[in-house]
Amino acid sequence: MERPQNCILVIFGASGDLTQRKLVPALMDLFRLNLLPKSFVVLGVGRKPWSDEDFRVFLGKSLNEFSHSRTGPEETAKFLGKFFFLSLDPQDGEGFRNLKNRLKELDRQFGIGENYMYYLSTPPSLFDPIVRNLGANNLQREESRSEKWKRLIIEKPFGYDLASARALIKKIRKVFREPQIYRIDHYLGKETVQNILVFRFANGIFEPLWNRHYVHHVEITAAESIGVEDRGGYYEGTGVVRDMIQNHLLQILGVVAMEPPSAFDPDAVRNETVKIFQSLRPIPEAEVEKSVVRGQYTASLIKGKNVPGYREEKGVKPDSRTETFAAMKVFVDNWRWGGVPFYIRAGKRLPTRVTEVVIHFRATPHFLFTKDNANRSGLNQLILRVQPNEGIMLKFGMKVPGGGFRVKNVSMDFLYSDLSETRLPEAYERLLLDGMLGDSTLYARGDAVEACWGFIDPILKAWKQDPAIKIYGYPAGTWGVEQANTLFMEHGVEWRYPCKNLVDDGVVCEL
Ligand code: BG6
């Protein structure tokens, strides 16, 4: 595999959670696979008054806790030797001169060649001052006809609504050009999401079926069994639609629904996904109650343990109306998908952790085996399991051996775990590598972010403005609110419940 050009990765928010849990373990994996540039330096930036050595000690502890690779002391020391720290308040414009000087020094010392990648792993309120200060010091400038690059990776949340996302796009583009900007959506970095592209466009047999003539409906589910944990304060101002649906699930929808791109390059692929986002049928504010259901988990007993309700979580208002579950019915108004409903749901404190896409194929036009079978629909499903137990399952009807013609649903499965010696890389490993290689295919483009917000905005506005729109309670550990079944599902269509039996002891899970 290709190794990136030499570069310095500057991480703003270097002492934060994401750096510890995701970025540094991902870099360690790349290091072990020999996929980091030959000359590579990480400059951590943060307010802490740390020395390089303090930073390395801190990261050593993080690796012990969060990295799945176990390395010997020598290898770890070699890896950590690439890390340096600069104490800097991101709001302090003057301080950025120090950053410029430090970059020059490190560049010279390690023969980097002036390729810099700035990673904003900070609260969104700091995106603007950091970008402005980088610009004021010309740290974003790429000389024309020079190969030396400067790139910016931005973490989510990218905006809070359409207006703020647009404003942010505008501010950042005053300093960086769009091709320099890499907006992270870590779901696009998941191996199984990328495999949807290969599954669809490397195989000839599925494409003819992938349209309104053969697909009855599509389900996209992201269930999490955890609650908001210690992020109550953040979540309270966010909710599941902003946290999961506006970004991760719509990006999955884009990959599932897109037309084949003309080539496999960042623009061609993202031109197709953006068309999907632009084709989402708007849900006008007045229709939100009919097409979108929201819920909030309430206290419950799971496996004999008391689990608090959302309103009892730290940082959450006792009368909060923030949704921890949402389900919606969405249409993609184009020739391929006209009339096919896409049902999307996501939530916290559901019975299990599972993310999957289910393509439900239409039933046969005339069912022959009526005598022994009441139900002929729902026999053919294709399940693209994003996580966990990653794989692809194709369900079809088979004759139950013996007399008569009873039809039973069976499954043909591919599981990644059956591939020996294959490790599924972490999303951040792939995304960091692609960023250094200058490949933005798996990053969200500005127009896509804007189109997704454009679709979500009326839903959030309706919820904010109309207190009469209900937010339903659901006991923690159950599959969200019942109204997600009754309010907008067509007759005979049900959500798939990958783990059926719910609260309390004796949880039975198919997974
Ligand atoms: C994050 C959300 O973007 O994705 C979290 O902020 C959520 O609330 C997480 O838990 C889920 O990611 P994953 O990779 O664990 O499915």
Side-chain angles (χ1 to χ4, degrees):
M1 258 191 292
E2 201 185 341
R3 266 177 101 170
Q5 292 169 332
N6 296 344
C7 68
I8 301 183
L9 171 64
V10 183
I11 305 181
F12 290 90
S15 60
D17 227 35
L18 185 81
T19 307
Q20 285 191 74
R21 286 173 188 267
K22 299 287 181 192
L23 303 185
V24 175
L27 290 171
M28 172 57 109
D29 286 331
L30 292 174
F31 170 69
R32 299 195 72 200
L33 294 167
N34 220 9
L35 286 174
L36 288 180
K38 258 198 181 133
S39 258
F40 177 66
V41 168
V42 179
L43 179 60
V45 175
R47 289 198 177 104
K48 298 233 183 307
W50 282 350
S51 65
D52 297 338
E53 196 43 39
D54 296 334
F55 188 39
R56 290 174 191 162
V57 170
F58 166 78
L59 295 179
K61 287 186 194 144
S62 317
L63 281 174
N64 276 339
E65 196 173 345
F66 301 114
S67 173
H68 58 85
S69 15
R70 290 284 153 248
T71 44
E74 240 172 68
E75 206 180 356
T76 310
K78 194 167 165 210
F79 173 68
L80 291 176
K82 298 177 184 299
F83 288 76
F84 298 82
F85 192 80
L86 177 73
S87 180
L88 169 72
D89 176 350
Q91 314 253 27
D92 165 21
E94 292 294 298
F96 276 68
R97 283 212 209 116
N98 298 340
L99 173 62
K100 194 170 185 168
N101 292 337
R102 193 74 195 273
L103 282 170
K104 264 196 194 145
E105 260 170 51
L106 290 168
D107 198 293
R108 223 175 299 125
Q109 189 180 344
F110 293 93
I112 296 291
E114 293 175 43
N115 299 322
Y116 305 150
M117 172 121 97
Y118 307 106
Y119 196 118
L120 306 195
S121 167
T122 63
S125 57
L126 294 178
F127 292 171
D128 179 35
I130 294 175
V131 169
R132 244 186 310 113
N133 288 326
L134 288 172
N137 287 279
N138 273 333
L139 284 166
Q140 89 294 9
R141 182 170 301 160
E142 292 177 335
E143 306 297 337
S144 59
R145 274 183 275 141
S146 148
E147 298 275 285
K148 298 165 187 169
W149 50 260
K150 309 285 177 292
R151 297 180 190 137
L152 179 77
I153 301 189
I154 312 179
E155 262 300 328
K156 59 162 260 196
F158 198 85
Y160 181 77
D161 53 16
L162 179 60
S164 58
R166 275 190 178 144
L168 188 56
I169 289 175
K170 219 165 139 190
K171 278 182 188 159
I172 293 175
R173 286 214 194 122
K174 276 193 185 150
V175 178
F176 287 88
R177 291 175 303 111
E178 179 65 28
Q180 294 178 282
I181 307 170
Y182 291 67
R183 297 175 194 82
I184 286 249
D185 187 306
H186 79 279
Y187 268 57
L188 289 177
K190 288 185 191 281
E191 189 62 39
T192 42
V193 173
Q194 293 156 42
N195 191 42
I196 298 176
L197 289 168
V198 172
F199 182 81
R200 289 194 57 200
F201 302 130
N203 296 298
I205 57 174
F206 304 107
E207 181 54 23
L209 305 179
W210 213 262
N211 56 53
R212 68 197 157 90
H213 300 297
Y214 297 98
V215 175
H216 184 266
H217 68 280
V218 178
E219 247 181 274
I220 304 179
T221 294
E224 292 184 275
S225 49
I226 53 168
V228 293
E229 315 230 275
D230 51 4
R231 297 162 77 222
Y234 153 80
Y235 205 85
E236 184 58 358
T238 308
V240 75
V241 168
R242 286 189 177 91
D243 192 46
M244 292 292 292
I245 297 183
Q246 182 275 334
N247 39 36
H248 307 324
L249 295 200
L250 289 187
Q251 287 291 344
I252 293 185
L253 188 150
V255 172
V256 169
M258 70 193 273
E259 292 301 315
S262 57
F264 201 71
D265 65 46
D267 269 331
V269 171
R270 296 184 303 171
N271 284 345
E272 296 307 331
T273 47
V274 85
K275 279 188 212 157
I276 295 297
F277 305 138
Q278 289 163 347
S279 309
L280 291 172
R281 186 184 300 169
I283 302 179
E285 283 178 48
E287 309 252 317
V288 165
E289 202 165 6
K290 276 199 269 165
S291 301
V292 189
V293 169
R294 60 176 168 165
Q296 195 182 67
Y297 61 83
T298 56
S300 162
L301 186 72
I302 303 180
K303 290 189 177 174
K305 255 179 85 184
N306 283 317
V307 171
Y310 176 68
R311 291 179 181 183
E312 283 111 54
E313 302 274 18
K314 212 169 133 224
V316 172
K317 290 195 218 110
D319 59 350
S320 166
R321 285 174 69 80
T322 298
E323 80 289 353
T324 61
F325 171 90
M328 57 181 79
K329 182 179 184 175
V330 169
F331 287 94
V332 178
D333 283 339
N334 66 12
W335 280 41
R336 183 185 286 267
W337 296 113
V340 177
F342 284 71
Y343 296 101
I344 301 179
R345 75 185 154 165
K348 299 247 183 228
R349 283 273 186 240
L350 302 186
T352 189
R353 173 173 181 253
V354 65
T355 302
E356 61 179 27
V357 177
V358 188
I359 314 285
H360 294 259
F361 291 97
R362 289 186 185 282
T364 54
H366 172 60
F367 193 66
L368 295 175
F369 310 106
T370 44
K371 199 162 149 240
D372 297 320
N373 303 281
N375 190 0
R376 68 190 176 101
S377 66
L379 280 180
N380 296 146
Q381 298 175 6
L382 178 74
I383 299 155
L384 306 168
R385 170 76 51 71
V386 173
Q387 63 186 23
N389 299 343
E390 292 81 359
I392 296 178
M393 285 142 254
L394 182 64
K395 301 216 170 231
F396 55 91
M398 62 115 21
K399 180 184 169 301
V400 177
F405 276 88
R406 272 193 302 132
V407 179
K408 182 182 171 216
N409 208 207
V410 290
S411 183
M412 213 152 61
D413 298 349
F414 152 67
L415 290 174
Y416 280 83
S417 55
D418 292 341
L419 301 174
S420 58
E421 288 172 33
T422 297
R423 180 184 72 90
L424 286 186
E426 291 288 326
Y428 278 92
E429 191 179 325
R430 170 68 194 237
L431 292 174
L432 280 168
L433 180 62
D434 280 6
M436 289 188 277
L437 288 168
D439 182 347
S440 53
T441 312
L442 301 175
Y443 283 87
R445 212 167 59 183
D447 51 357
V449 170
E450 215 172 310
C452 290
W453 273 120
F455 172 71
I456 292 294
D457 225 36
I459 302 173
L460 300 173
K461 275 200 183 125
W463 284 350
K464 191 166 171 209
Q465 282 161 14
D466 186 354
I469 300 180
K470 292 199 180 68
I471 175 156
Y472 301 94
Y474 62 96
T478 63
W479 271 107
V481 292
E482 178 50 27
Q483 283 76 5
N485 281 322
T486 53
L487 281 189
F488 53 60
M489 302 301 265
E490 288 160 74
H491 178 68
V493 175
E494 268 206 341
W495 293 100
R496 211 177 90 81
Y497 292 107
C499 166
K500 208 145 196 164
N501 291 335
L502 314 173
V503 194
D504 220 339
D505 292 311
V507 169
V508 179
C509 192
E510 282 176 19
L511 290 177

